[in-house]
Amino acid sequence: MQRRDFVRTATLFPLAGSGLLRAQPDWPQRPVKFILSQPAGSGPDILARYVADRLARSWAQPIVIENKPGGQNVIGALAAARSQPDGYTFYYATTAAMVTNAYTFKALPYDPAKDFAPVRLVGRSPFVIAAAANFPARNLKEALALAKAQPGSIAIATEGPKTFSGMLADSVAGMAGVRFNHVPYTKAPDALQDVIGGRVPLVCLPDAALTAYLSSGKVRALAVSTAGRQPGMPDVPALSETFPGFEYTGWNGLFAPAGTPTEVIARVNRDLEAVMQQPEVLQRLQTLGSQAEQRMSVPEFEAFMHSERERWAKLVRQLDIRPE
């Protein structure tokens, strides 16, 4: 062996032993997939497609949206949990799938805490209680008075009594001392068509699912679930104005199947943060009914998830919701 070859080889061995020479191909090298538990055209779907489009531009790889609705998020969540943790499949999830399902199902076929790795919070989504254009009550106070005068006769369209929107409706009803008649829907557009058609007077859904209908005047917003009024809806009272201290906000975020390489999770978090800080993205998400989360590291998202599970465990106990 010539001396220069010996020196070069001797220099490389310590690096090889330390793992610094392991080949790490650039990621992503092929299309990435986002699984959603909601149907195409729903609020989370619209947000996911917009965010995915922005990320795909920086990755120079397409992001495929795969909708797997049904089963109160179970079908999509289970598909994502069982995906290969190779960094090419992610779960674009909502609060219901990653938090509340754990308290409303006796036997959930996936574990939100163990089967997924938090990547990043995307945005917080206020919920809106709205009414059909011809509903006689012009505000929340009048709607609650009507519900009190006609116990159990006022129907409200939700995603089901044990979903995020259903629990919000029950929370409001409980604080007001009234009872709503739940009409569950698996698809937000179907619920809104029934509200517009006058078959159901009230609806409780994420702002993102209602935005187009509110702007067209086909439905009227009565209250928003955040602690204060929203910039995009300055004339719509916050629920806290009727029930002081009350706040009930959903969110959407990106998760990876447990075991996904930490380097990929860190890369996606970093790239998503860059997207969330673009002014046009902030404006667009607000238009779509979501408050963009501009800064959040992976450890911060993990801490956020821990606090969310504690908060919802308390709320479920207060509503006396029994798992089924």
Side-chain angles (χ1 to χ4, degrees), residues 15 31 38 102 147 149 204 246 267 271 288 295 313:
L15 294 174
Q38 294 77 29
C204 179
F246 185 78
R267 165 76 184 275
D271 292 349
L288 294 173
R295 297 185 183 280

Side-chain angles (χ1 to χ4, degrees), residues 75-134:
I75 295 174
L78 195 57
R82 291 175 173 174
S83 298
Q84 286 294 322
D86 57 6
Y88 286 90
T89 300
F90 294 86
Y91 184 35
Y92 190 94
T94 60
T95 317
M98 301 307 294
V99 180
T100 61
N101 272 3
Y103 303 106
T104 57
F105 280 78
K106 276 187 178 179
L108 195 62
Y110 67 95
D111 188 324
K114 295 180 180 179
D115 291 343
F116 294 95
V119 178
R120 196 184 189 283
L121 188 66
V122 174
R124 302 173 195 261
S125 299
F127 275 63
V128 175
I129 297 177
N134 61 354

Side-chain angles (χ1 to χ4, degrees), residues 19 22-28 59 85-88 90 117-119 256-257 259-272 298:
R22 287 179 297 178
Q24 291 292 340
D26 290 337
W27 177 96
W59 291 346
D86 57 6
Y88 286 90
F90 294 86
V119 178
T260 298
T262 56
E263 305 85 24
V264 173
I265 290 175
R267 165 76 184 275
V268 178
N269 176 280
R270 183 175 67 249
D271 292 349
L272 192 50
V298 173

Side-chain angles (χ1 to χ4, degrees), residues 4 37 40 44 80 88 107 110 121 126-127 134 169 173 186 217 233 235 240 242 248-249 267 272 289 295 302 310 315:
R4 63 175 179 273
S37 300
Y88 286 90
Y110 67 95
L121 188 66
F127 275 63
N134 61 354
T186 57
M233 297 183 290
D235 297 328
S240 61
T242 302
Y248 191 109
T249 306
R267 165 76 184 275
L272 192 50
R295 297 185 183 280
E302 291 170 344
E310 288 186 339
L315 181 60

Side-chain angles (χ1 to χ4, degrees), residues 19-32:
L20 295 178
L21 288 183
R22 287 179 297 178
Q24 291 292 340
D26 290 337
W27 177 96
Q29 292 187 317
R30 63 178 190 269
V32 176

Side-chain angles (χ1 to χ4, degrees), residues 103-104 161-162 167 170 315-323:
Y103 303 106
T104 57
K162 293 190 176 183
M167 287 191 285
D170 281 342
L315 181 60
V316 167
R317 287 195 300 268
Q318 289 175 344
L319 292 176
D320 194 28
I321 292 177
R322 307 297 175 88

